[in-house]
Amino acid sequence: MQSTSESARFDGRTALITGGATGMGFATAGLLLDEGAKVVITGRGEDRLKRAAERLDAGDRLLALPADVSKPADLDRLMGEVREHFGRIDVVFANAGIGVFKRIEEFTEEDFDSVVDANFKGVFFTVKHALPLLTDGGSIVINASWTHHRGLAVGSLYAATKAAAANLAKTLASALSDRGIRVNAISPGYIDTDMFRESVPTDEAREASRQDVVLGRIGTPEEVASAVAFLASDAASYVNGVDLLVDGGVANSIPA
Ligand SMILES: NC(=O)c1ccc[n+]([C@@H]2O[C@H](COP(=O)([O-])OP(=O)(O)OC[C@H]3O[C@@H](n4cnc5c(N)ncnc54)[C@H](OP(=O)(O)O)[C@@H]3O)[C@@H](O)[C@H]2O)c1
């Protein structure tokens, strides 16, 4: 990835993207690198990270470091390495998450703990551990989901963790205002990633999802990346504490 002079919104800035080896995190890493940023991607799967780094091909502007966001000790180690390499962070995209979709009767305590750990505890501690490195005037974007805006029968656990994560945008926008740090959430709709393909495994179910979207199609990771880059950029300098739906209309409208 090369930075181009006409599109360098993130020149001189460093972005940390959790879950950056795949899906929306990967697409956001690619976009921010294209627009001049230095980028740190994290995830649990070391092979996935290695493959992502090869595909992003950004030389010393990219660091791919393993870390499990649900383990504060991993986050401590991660931030130490980021400090050593880049010295600071200007943008955090707290994107890592998992989806377990079942009816409430079928959930186990193990399901509960794993989803809460990744989607809520992980976001909370990612932000907490990034704060000492985050520059004043920086930006945090939290990946929530359309499912906390509209009830989904198999989404009780997932949607509740996403509601909690999105809520952090409001409280942290207030808490970090003295440092000029903006905090926003995004709520993607059905986006064509590994998570979507695993959670909606059959052609029939994907077709039903597609028909549920007012725009009549599943979204792409790049369409989400573009919204994340907007929120992280100076173009959104007065956007703070919001949860931006990037969902083709799925949460708020019924297809005609
Ligand atoms: N796809 C959709 O339709 C959709 C819709 C709304 C919201 N979302 C949200 O969007 C975010 C990105 O998901 P995606 O759709 O792009 O799917 P994805 O490709 O599965 O991305 C999820 C990423 O999170 C990482 N991850 C999961 N648990 C982690 C942990 N404990 N620590 C560190 N990294 C972890 C995964 O890597 P490892 O497994 O290697 O750790 C993976 O790279 C998630 O928060 C998801 O809930 C997705």
Side-chain angles (χ1 to χ4, degrees):
M1 295 276 174
Q2 297 295 317
S3 160
T4 54
S5 55
E6 70 275 15
S7 62
R9 282 186 290 180
F10 295 96
D11 254 349
R13 299 190 193 180
T14 299
L16 168 67
I17 302 174
T18 66
T22 62
M24 296 178 225
F26 179 80
T28 304
L31 180 58
L32 297 192
L33 284 166
D34 280 347
E35 299 208 23
K38 295 172 189 157
V39 171
V40 183
I41 56 171
T42 72
R44 295 162 303 175
E46 297 202 24
D47 286 348
R48 265 195 288 283
L49 280 169
K50 204 169 155 224
R51 280 197 301 275
E54 281 164 10
R55 285 175 63 201
L56 291 167
D57 189 23
D60 60 8
R61 288 198 297 125
L62 178 73
L63 266 185
L65 299 171
D68 181 336
V69 292
S70 68
K71 296 185 175 151
D74 274 24
L75 291 167
D76 247 351
R77 181 182 37 76
L78 169 72
M79 299 308 168
E81 291 180 56
V82 176
R83 184 190 294 278
E84 200 175 298
H85 281 83
F86 292 140
R88 66 172 219 241
I89 298 171
D90 304 283
V91 172
V92 175
F93 181 29
N95 162 73
I98 60 170
V100 180
F101 298 95
K102 301 177 191 174
R103 295 187 61 91
I104 189 167
E105 298 88 334
E106 296 165 356
F107 276 113
T108 63
E109 185 178 1
E110 193 185 19
D111 292 328
F112 187 93
D113 289 342
S114 65
V115 178
V116 171
D117 279 359
N119 295 1
F120 180 45
K121 181 182 179 187
V123 170
F124 190 92
F125 283 100
T126 295
V127 173
K128 180 185 164 172
H129 285 254
L131 280 179
L133 277 182
L134 192 60
T135 44
D136 290 359
S139 170
I140 298 170
V141 181
I142 292 166
N143 201 341
S145 166
W146 71 273
T147 56
H148 86 94
H149 294 269
R150 181 180 168 199
L152 174 71
V154 292
S156 57
L157 175 56
Y158 178 79
T161 62
K162 292 301 188 175
N167 186 265
L168 288 173
K170 297 182 194 178
T171 52
L172 296 180
S174 168
L176 303 177
S177 59
D178 55 340
R179 294 181 53 194
I181 295 170
R182 295 180 299 104
V183 191
N184 293 292
I186 53 158
S187 277
Y190 300 114
I191 307 296
D192 189 14
T193 66
D194 293 347
M195 181 184 288
F196 176 72
R197 286 187 288 271
E198 281 158 23
S199 318
V200 186
T202 63
D203 286 347
E204 292 74 17
R206 285 180 204 158
E207 176 57 14
S209 300
R210 185 192 70 71
Q211 287 179 13
D212 197 26
V213 184
V214 175
L215 284 183
R217 62 180 178 80
I218 303 301
T220 67
E222 290 72 24
E223 287 176 300
V224 176
S226 153
V228 175
F230 163 69
L231 288 174
S233 76
D234 293 343
S237 56
Y238 207 56
V239 183
N240 201 11
V242 307
D243 177 13
L244 177 63
L245 280 158
V246 186
D247 71 341
V250 83
N252 284 332
S253 303
I254 295 172

